[in-house]
Amino acid sequence: MAEPQASESVAGPLYELVSEATTPTRDAAAASGLSISDTYQTYLDVSAAAHPVYGAEGVYSNGRGYREHSSPRIGTRNRDSSAERCTGTGNPPCGIMKDVSKQRQARKKTVSFSSMPSDRKMNSTAACMAFMMEGCEMKKVRSNSRMYNRYFLLDPDMRWLRWEPSKKDSEKAKLEIKSIKEVRLGKKTPVLRSNGLSDQFPDECAFSIIYGDNYESLDLVASTAEVVSTWVMGLRYLVSYGRHMVGVVEPNQPSVRTSWIGSVFELADPERQGHIDLFRATQIIKGLNPGMRESRIELKFKELQKAKDCYGEGIDLDTFVEAYCELCTRPEIFFLLVQFSSNKEYLDSKDLMLFVEVEQGVEGVTEEMCREIVHKYEPSAEGRNNGYLSIDGFTHYLLSSECHIFDPQHKHVCQDMTQPLSHYYINSSHNASLLEDHYWGSSDLSSYVRALRMGCRSIEVVVWDGPDCEPVVYVGSSVASQLAFCKVLDFINQYAFESSEYPLILCLVTHCSVPQQRALAQHLKKILGDKLHIEPPNMEDHYLPSPEKLKGKILIKGKRLPTDSQDSEGEVTDEEEGFEMSRRMMGGDDKDQLNGIGCKRLRLCKELSDLVTLCKSVQFRDFEMSKREQRYWEICSFNEVDANHFANEFPEDFVSYNKRFLSRVYPTPMRIDASNMNPQDFWKCGCQIVAMNYQTPGLMMDLNLGWFRQNGNCGYVLRPAIMREEVSYFSANARDSLPGVSAQLLHIKVISGQNLPKPRGSAAKGDVVEPYIYVEIHGIPADCTEQRTKTVSQNGDNPIFDESFEFQINLPELAALRFVVLDDDYIGDEFIGQYTIPFECLLPGYRHVPLQSLTGEFLPNTTLFVHVAITNRRGGGKAHKRGLSVRKGRKAREYTSTKTTGIKVVDELFRASTQPLREATDLRENVQNAVVSFKELCGLTPAANMKQCILTVSSWLLNSERALRVMVNLSEAYPTMEAHGPIPELLRKVLTAYDTMIQTSRTLIESADGVYSKLTQAQRAGLDFHEDLHRIGAREGLKGRKLQKAMESYAWNITVLKGQADLLKHAKGEAVDTLRQIQCAAHSCGLAKNGASTSPASPLLPPHARPLHTIHETETDSTTLH
């Protein structure tokens, strides 16, 4: 599926509206310093770049009505059809797919109740001040964990914050604004983090005011996140600028924004009448904000006119400006702008640089880059000339492709493509010719084109005898819509490498007589020509060639006669889907169902047989026999029922089997409606080719298409390393953290939605939408989970959710994140949109998520606004168990240990590695504890980055009443934080925690090499036993299950050693990156001392900061491939 691309199509309607502007209007614009070109054309370019119009590339088109796929009586909230839960597919994986009837009975509508009037929108600091002066009820939290209801309000002179009722004297129940040091959002003080309170209210409803020389805290809990945002925004503004700087409190004082909107109005009023008609005013605002409903704009104008007793008249300037500000200001973005602004209600280049670097995680940001952002997205000429970004420009920037949640590096091939073919997941289609299901579906050539353009690299062609000795293609009962095989091949030849240059596997299911097989072979050779791979496999190799080596080649998967056969034809078994379906329809015995055992035989001609080279279809019997006899170029096909059986009963064996051999999983013939199986059920076992019915949209196709986006949509995705390494332990059904794999913590904050449409299949009247969102994680069983937001009542235009979720990801390389937006006010259909993204493609920071329809189209201007933070990523903290503190003392620390194999010489070797394993754990977790302590003292979460910590310390110093001087000494490789003069106790604790963090980081950096060397030496020594382990175990009397257990324990130990060495390597890299962030942030915040010789671009790093190198797979392959 193509990602949304920037488009300039939004410029047309608005430009037409103002194209009638006369010469006097141009003169007026010039007098105000704003030309028509500056005011309109530049803005239209900005608007076009900021509001992508999502195309319809790669969408589903299967001829069936929408409601057939999305009926809530059949599907689920994930709108996958009921047949996707076919009992033949095994147990529902991971708890994601639930029983529909139970789910609907249990669901209760949850609505956000706000103390804030529903029509009030916080679109300026003036609005915040007005709300704070009116006051509202909040809960005051004491250190004893008790909460008291109090009414809080801001004094009219904006000097004091007061609360009532209180036992204190009224003069004592107040807090002076100038004494406030910091306003923290969320549970970021010891009082709010205490066990007695942590579960009583959501993080978004809490905030703390840090005040006084001793940095005391006033901890508050509001009714909603909107109320919290308003108080935090207003208080931060007062702390930063003081009451005299709130210029926008005076409603008649023009701002840069209102001046720009006024110039837009003047250009739309060429006759200088002082008003424009409702239609033109509506079209201008809609042109500036694509996706906004005209009815909403018209209603706002009529409301404002009615309030001014001028209903039905033209729209004057004041009404136009007021309507634009109310309609086009997103409060959540305005709140974000005020957080980072140092110049009232806009960002200058330095503010923007801090935001892009600290929040968005972009490295190497310069002021020049930020000026380019301003020039590209700021609509006003004054803003562009002065180099600052207004709320409109900031909104456009956040909506642009630069702030998309998908990492643009993954839009191109970014993975190693030189590994064996069996080391990749391969995008695969099943019954590609069908437009619908197996009974009513007709065959069509466009189906092949669609699949190939969507990145499919394994395509199935079912061939039958046709008239005039010409083979034909059709599936099931679609005899009436037969396709000539030569025409199908022409289309495949034409589009095979349009979307990807990597090899295409053509799965031939042949039901032809020998004469027509010969015709089929001639067509293959004639039409495909040099693209056809006919080179026989190299007998000396042990693995398939790489996708890189097979670029531009088409591989034929099918039956092949024995190599030594000299006859023109011979017999082979037929275990493909066609025979299996006929056998099931005839009531075949269950005991013969496993992958064609006892299948019929068919005649195969040598001409067609010789075209099968690297993908020879063979029967699967059992894992032990495959290990002994199967050749690397042979491929087995598994019915999904059989594959599920192996995945559940023999998960380790299945993973091991797929390290060397290709396996193809196809849907059970019982899926007569062409529904799809869950590909994750088989990807977790390492199955490379999971054949999907591309004509059927739904959850399963969302997962498939989303998954293959991560490598340039080339159809190949490199499997996780733990599934590729010859000696490693991995169970497909693991429900806990994996040995040696660094679990990561994903923090998702769902902030808001934009322009959410009514579900297409809904029978409810009107345009009212009551949206809620499911955030789902798909991956191994240990990772599968979901969380739900509240329902926002009657708001699809810009619903505010403001809810945070945490997910522990145990195997990040196999995890995918899915957002599903649903309507709680549904009749008939509830699905609004979804977006699926691989975990590895997520970008941190504030991001917009484009939503796709049921059929895969990107919904125009429909997005979610989220914040993403990932631990163990650049700029993040450390991973920890879901909901638990990351700090663990040495006594409570869990050490990863090796297992006993029962083979004396091997056990002695692994026992010697116990001490370096403990040392590696201590080095990592000591740093982890120190970093978290420092972040918590700074009032931040473990997911914060070090730049945010330094920025927080800097803000404390700036907001202090008395002169405080703290500098970061950059003259040494390990920067120290030094206080000059007396400092408050809290700041002294912060400096102590910082020093501990630096010292533990130094110990890690300087000790990692020696410990790492011990671990890798133990790993190499262990690998020396691999070839002879079976023989050594048998010699010591191990056999049967005991010998198998010894082999598993051996693989576990090798995995632990390699994994712990890798974790130590990553920890050292993170420690070095922490030092780099400190140095860069110290420069950016003006805290650098003796840093003249260093710069953010070339920080001074420790001499031990060189990276550690793991044992490459090639080093072990030579000893393990025989």
Side-chain angles (χ1 to χ4, degrees):
M1 187 69 60
E3 292 295 325
Q5 301 295 325
S7 169
E8 295 188 3
S9 62
V10 295
L14 183 59
Y15 189 78
E16 291 173 4
L17 286 172
V18 297
S19 60
E20 300 174 0
T22 59
T23 301
T25 307
R26 292 187 177 91
D27 294 341
S32 63
L34 298 168
S35 68
I36 288 182
S37 175
D38 279 341
T39 306
Y40 279 101
Q41 194 55 53
T42 303
Y43 185 80
L44 295 175
D45 292 340
V46 167
S47 183
H51 299 276
V53 177
Y54 306 137
E57 297 180 47
V59 301
Y60 300 102
S61 178
N62 56 9
R64 275 194 280 188
Y66 177 94
R67 299 179 69 174
E68 288 186 40
H69 283 307
S70 59
S71 171
R73 308 308 170 203
I74 299 175
T76 72
R77 58 166 182 76
N78 289 328
R79 89 258 193 273
D80 49 322
S81 63
S82 61
E84 292 186 3
R85 298 159 192 261
C86 173
T87 55
T89 63
N91 296 327
C94 318
I96 291 271
M97 279 70 76
K98 303 180 180 67
D99 183 272
V100 181
S101 59
K102 290 181 181 179
Q103 180 184 327
R104 291 202 176 277
Q105 291 171 3
R107 178 186 297 162
K108 294 182 180 179
K109 203 179 273 191
T110 56
V111 182
S112 171
F113 294 97
S114 174
S115 63
M116 190 179 294
S118 59
D119 59 345
R120 170 171 289 177
K121 195 168 185 179
M122 294 299 117
N123 55 19
S124 68
T125 47
C128 292
M129 300 304 162
F131 177 80
M132 292 162 64
M133 288 177 187
E134 290 179 16
C136 69
E137 188 176 276
M138 293 188 285
K139 288 180 170 58
K140 183 171 179 281
V141 186
R142 294 268 182 88
S143 57
N144 59 6
S145 297
R146 292 185 178 179
M147 294 190 287
Y148 301 88
N149 288 328
R150 297 287 183 263
Y151 196 86
F152 289 81
L153 71 161
L154 180 68
D155 266 2
D157 63 0
M158 293 180 284
R159 291 180 182 272
W160 299 89
L161 172 65
R162 298 182 183 273
W163 56 92
E164 54 188 30
S166 173
K167 294 181 180 179
K168 295 181 180 179
D169 183 271
S170 60
E171 287 303 307
K172 293 183 178 179
K174 64 180 182 179
L175 181 64
E176 192 172 12
I177 296 297
K178 68 177 183 180
S179 71
I180 297 176
K181 310 298 183 187
E182 181 190 1
V183 184
R184 296 180 183 175
L185 182 62
K187 305 173 188 175
K188 294 177 182 174
T189 62
V191 171
L192 293 178
R193 278 196 295 258
S194 64
N195 293 330
L197 292 173
S198 59
D199 296 328
Q200 293 188 26
F201 48 85
D203 190 73
E204 294 78 16
C205 290
F207 70 104
S208 301
I209 301 172
I210 311 300
Y211 65 94
D213 291 340
N214 294 322
Y215 288 77
E216 300 173 70
S217 68
L218 173 61
D219 300 298
L220 303 172
V221 178
S223 57
T224 68
E226 294 95 325
V227 174
V228 171
S229 296
T230 303
W231 278 96
V232 172
M233 177 163 43
L235 290 172
R236 283 177 174 172
Y237 196 92
L238 288 174
V239 169
S240 297
Y241 315 125
R243 66 190 182 93
H244 298 296
M245 293 297 291
V246 192
V248 289
V249 173
E250 299 296 332
N252 295 324
Q253 180 179 345
S255 66
V256 174
R257 189 189 195 196
T258 55
S259 297
W260 168 73
I261 300 171
S263 68
V264 173
F265 180 87
E266 290 177 8
L267 290 171
D269 180 25
E271 303 298 330
R272 297 290 188 94
Q273 297 177 353
H275 61 83
I276 57 178
D277 61 72
L278 177 63
F279 173 78
R280 174 167 291 191
T282 301
Q283 292 302 310
I284 290 175
I285 290 184
K286 180 173 175 58
L288 296 176
N289 292 270
M292 189 174 291
R293 291 181 291 112
E294 290 184 19
S295 59
R296 182 187 173 205
I297 302 172
E298 291 179 2
L299 181 62
K300 176 56 66 177
F301 278 127
K302 290 175 182 178
E303 286 177 357
L304 294 175
Q305 285 185 316
K306 186 176 181 180
K308 298 177 181 180
D309 292 328
C310 56
Y311 187 78
E313 300 178 10
I315 307 299
D316 60 21
L317 174 60
D318 290 342
T319 303
F320 184 82
V321 171
E322 188 176 356
Y324 180 89
C325 289
E326 289 196 25
L327 289 167
C328 304
T329 304
R330 286 173 50 184
E332 73 276 21
I333 292 182
F334 181 73
F335 174 63
L336 189 59
L337 180 141
V338 171
Q339 268 187 279
F340 282 85
S341 170
S342 60
N343 291 287
K344 296 198 216 178
E345 297 183 3
Y346 57 80
L347 301 175
D348 62 22
S349 296
K350 291 185 178 179
D351 299 331
L352 185 58
M353 187 166 69
L354 276 177
F355 173 78
V356 174
E357 186 176 36
V358 172
E359 283 294 341
Q360 304 298 82
V362 180
E363 292 201 340
V365 183
T366 63
E367 285 195 51
E368 179 59 32
M369 291 169 59
C370 294
R371 282 192 289 269
E372 290 177 6
I373 292 174
V374 171
H375 184 77
K376 187 174 181 180
Y377 298 108
E378 172 56 36
S380 70
E382 182 179 352
R384 293 193 302 276
N385 293 335
N386 293 325
Y388 53 69
L389 206 59
S390 68
I391 178 63
D392 296 293
F394 191 43
T395 302
H396 296 154
Y397 168 64
L398 289 173
L399 279 167
S400 73
S401 59
E402 295 185 46
C403 292
H404 194 290
I405 193 172
F406 191 91
D407 188 342
Q409 292 184 355
H410 290 271
K411 292 183 179 180
H412 310 283
V413 176
C414 55
Q415 296 178 348
D416 178 10
M417 302 302 290
T418 63
Q419 299 280 326
L421 205 63
S422 60
H423 286 185
Y424 297 85
Y425 296 116
I426 303 173
N427 199 352
S428 176
S429 169
H430 178 251
N431 290 340
S433 64
L434 286 183
L435 288 175
E436 297 185 61
D437 58 44
H438 295 161
Y439 273 85
W440 304 108
S442 57
S443 299
D444 190 84
L445 289 168
S446 64
S447 302
Y448 290 102
V449 177
R450 184 180 70 249
L452 290 170
R453 283 180 167 170
M454 294 170 78
C456 181
R457 293 289 86 193
S458 173
I459 201 161
E460 184 183 49
V461 180
V462 183
V463 191
W464 303 80
D465 281 347
D468 303 323
C469 201
E470 279 295 329
V472 293
V473 175
Y474 65 88
V475 177
S477 60
S478 59
V479 183
S481 58
Q482 298 177 1
L483 305 173
F485 176 73
C486 58
K487 289 187 177 180
V488 171
L489 211 56
D490 276 331
F491 271 77
I492 291 176
N493 181 56
Q494 181 179 349
Y495 295 98
F497 301 105
E498 181 181 284
S499 298
S500 173
E501 59 185 344
Y502 293 101
L504 172 68
I505 300 175
L506 191 61
C507 301
L508 279 183
V509 181
T510 308
H511 300 284
C512 297
S513 61
V514 170
Q516 295 218 12
Q517 288 180 26
R518 293 192 176 99
L520 190 151
Q522 290 301 317
H523 286 316
L524 286 168
K525 288 187 282 189
K526 181 180 178 181
I527 296 174
L528 301 183
D530 293 341
K531 295 178 184 175
L532 191 62
H533 185 277
I534 56 175
E535 183 181 344
N538 188 337
M539 299 295 178
E540 296 181 0
D541 289 342
H542 301 279
Y543 281 90
L544 288 164
S546 68
E548 183 69 27
K549 190 174 181 180
L550 294 171
K551 268 185 181 179
K553 291 296 182 181
I554 297 178
L555 311 180
I556 304 299
K557 173 193 172 293
K559 286 297 178 179
R560 182 181 172 91
L561 296 172
T563 308
D564 56 357
S565 175
Q566 300 299 320
D567 298 332
S568 61
E569 59 185 73
E571 278 195 348
V572 294
T573 58
D574 177 14
E575 72 275 7
E576 294 294 347
E577 299 94 303
F579 172 69
E580 182 178 347
M581 172 175 274
S582 63
R583 184 187 58 190
R584 288 177 183 271
M585 294 300 183
M586 295 170 62
D589 192 351
D590 286 348
K591 68 182 181 181
D592 293 333
Q593 287 185 4
L594 287 184
N595 293 285
I597 296 178
C599 288
K600 72 174 184 179
R601 303 185 71 81
L602 57 82
R603 303 292 295 177
L604 179 66
C605 74
K606 185 171 174 50
E607 291 93 324
L608 184 59
S609 170
D610 289 344
L611 299 182
V612 177
T613 56
L614 297 178
C615 293
K616 176 186 175 182
S617 294
V618 297
Q619 288 179 297
F620 176 82
R621 297 189 180 275
D622 59 58
F623 293 114
E624 190 59 37
M625 185 175 293
S626 295
K627 187 176 181 180
R628 292 196 313 265
E629 298 180 5
Q630 189 170 338
R631 312 303 293 269
Y632 73 85
W633 62 82
E634 295 176 337
I635 176 175
C636 292
S637 292
F638 298 85
N639 176 294
E640 69 168 293
V641 178
D642 304 330
N644 257 313
H645 168 74
F646 293 134
N648 292 327
E649 300 299 326
F650 312 101
E652 296 89 354
D653 292 330
F654 210 0
V655 171
S656 180
Y657 171 85
N658 285 318
K659 290 178 182 179
R660 185 174 303 212
F661 308 115
L662 284 177
S663 63
R664 179 176 181 270
V665 181
Y666 58 89
T668 171
M670 299 306 293
R671 291 185 181 273
I672 57 177
D673 60 350
S675 58
N676 277 307
M677 52 193 170
N678 187 344
Q680 282 279 3
D681 288 350
F682 309 107
W683 289 340
K684 71 181 182 182
C685 301
C687 297
Q688 300 88 349
I689 304 174
V690 181
M692 305 293 289
N693 288 306
Y694 269 58
Q695 71 272 27
T696 307
L699 164 64
M700 308 312 175
M701 270 313 292
D702 293 343
L703 293 176
N704 189 76
L705 296 178
W707 179 253
F708 284 101
R709 283 196 188 107
Q710 65 184 287
N711 194 26
N713 204 34
C714 74
Y716 287 84
V717 169
L718 191 63
R719 295 188 306 165
I722 199 170
M723 291 185 180
R724 305 193 312 264
E725 293 155 354
E726 185 72 15
V727 183
S728 63
Y729 178 86
F730 173 72
S731 174
N733 294 328
R735 295 191 175 273
D736 203 348
S737 56
L738 303 172
V741 177
S742 177
Q744 297 189 352
L745 194 67
L746 171 64
H747 306 256
I748 293 285
K749 182 176 184 178
V750 180
I751 302 172
S752 64
Q754 290 74 49
N755 307 314
L756 303 179
K758 194 73 177 172
R760 286 176 56 188
S762 175
K765 295 182 179 180
D767 295 325
V768 174
V769 178
E770 296 195 340
Y772 63 99
I773 299 168
Y774 269 97
V775 184
E776 304 172 348
I777 301 295
H778 296 265
I780 62 173
D783 293 340
C784 290
T785 186
E786 62 183 16
Q787 297 283 349
R788 181 197 194 277
T789 69
K790 65 176 179 285
T791 295
V792 176
S793 179
Q794 300 186 2
N795 186 353
D797 299 311
N798 189 37
I800 303 296
F801 299 96
D802 257 329
E803 292 191 59
S804 298
F805 308 107
E806 288 186 359
F807 303 96
Q808 180 169 302
I809 311 297
N810 294 285
L811 186 56
E813 293 175 278
L814 200 57
L817 171 67
R818 184 170 184 258
F819 298 94
V820 189
V821 185
L822 304 169
D823 182 10
D824 223 349
D825 185 43
Y826 68 91
I827 300 177
D829 181 35
E830 58 179 341
F831 176 77
I832 294 175
Q834 70 85 32
Y835 186 72
T836 305
I837 177 173
F839 181 85
E840 295 291 309
C841 299
L842 289 172
L843 280 178
Y846 289 93
R847 304 288 170 181
H848 275 92
V849 181
L851 294 179
Q852 293 174 273
S853 69
L854 174 79
T855 52
E857 301 161 305
F858 282 101
L859 299 170
N861 308 298
T862 302
T863 58
L864 298 178
F865 187 43
V866 303
H867 183 268
V868 179
I870 305 172
T871 58
N872 283 347
R873 285 287 187 88
R874 177 173 294 166
K878 304 288 182 176
H880 59 83
K881 292 288 185 181
R882 193 180 296 114
L884 301 178
S885 171
V886 300
R887 288 180 290 181
K888 284 186 180 180
R890 193 178 291 266
K891 291 183 179 179
R893 192 164 290 171
E894 297 175 1
Y895 293 98
T896 304
S897 59
T898 56
K899 294 182 178 181
T900 302
T901 65
I903 303 174
K904 184 177 180 181
V905 63
V906 176
D907 288 339
E908 288 178 355
L909 170 67
F910 289 131
R911 199 175 297 118
S913 64
T914 301
Q915 186 58 33
L917 283 172
R918 293 179 67 91
E919 290 176 8
T921 302
D922 287 338
L923 287 172
R924 288 187 293 104
E925 296 203 4
N926 287 344
V927 173
Q928 176 176 308
N929 293 344
V931 169
V932 171
S933 295
F934 177 62
K935 290 178 179 179
E936 289 184 349
L937 281 170
C938 290
L940 300 171
T941 66
N945 59 51
M946 199 52 57
K947 292 177 183 176
Q948 291 170 321
C949 295
I950 302 301
L951 183 62
T952 298
V953 174
S954 174
S955 67
W956 289 352
L957 301 176
L958 290 174
N959 296 330
S960 177
E961 294 180 24
R962 62 185 187 187
L964 298 177
R965 192 157 177 258
V966 175
M967 304 298 291
V968 180
N969 190 339
L970 302 181
S971 61
E972 300 292 338
Y974 297 96
T976 57
M977 190 175 286
E978 304 169 352
H980 299 268
I983 58 174
E985 181 62 24
L986 176 63
L987 198 51
R988 188 168 299 282
K989 289 181 179 179
V990 169
L991 264 61
T992 301
Y994 174 88
D995 184 61
T996 302
M997 179 184 69
I998 292 297
Q999 292 304 318
T1000 55
S1001 297
R1002 180 171 189 166
T1003 302
L1004 168 63
I1005 293 171
E1006 296 180 355
S1007 304
D1009 293 48
V1011 177
Y1012 184 85
S1013 178
K1014 294 176 184 178
L1015 293 174
T1016 53
Q1017 285 176 11
Q1019 181 190 352
R1020 287 191 178 94
L1023 287 172
D1024 289 340
F1025 288 100
H1026 176 61
E1027 289 186 356
D1028 297 327
L1029 190 64
H1030 195 281
R1031 180 177 55 81
I1032 297 172
R1035 190 174 61 197
E1036 295 202 10
L1038 300 178
K1039 57 183 178 180
R1041 179 57 187 160
K1042 288 186 177 180
L1043 182 58
Q1044 183 181 353
K1045 188 68 177 176
M1047 301 291 285
E1048 289 179 2
S1049 297
Y1050 168 80
W1052 167 278
N1053 294 343
I1054 293 295
T1055 304
V1056 165
L1057 289 171
K1058 183 183 185 305
Q1060 292 299 313
D1062 287 345
L1063 291 179
L1064 185 59
K1065 179 186 71 172
H1066 296 320
K1068 178 180 177 179
E1070 287 177 357
V1072 173
D1073 189 60
T1074 295
L1075 300 181
R1076 185 183 292 109
Q1077 287 191 47
I1078 291 172
Q1079 296 188 31
C1080 293
H1083 278 285
S1084 300
C1085 300
L1087 299 182
K1089 174 187 176 183
N1090 298 328
S1093 59
T1094 66
S1095 68
S1098 57
L1100 183 64
L1101 297 177
H1104 297 82
R1106 60 181 179 81
L1108 299 170
H1109 299 287
T1110 57
I1111 302 177
H1112 296 293
E1113 291 182 38
T1114 53
E1115 295 180 38
T1116 63
D1117 285 350
S1118 60
T1119 65
T1120 59
L1121 297 184
H1122 302 290

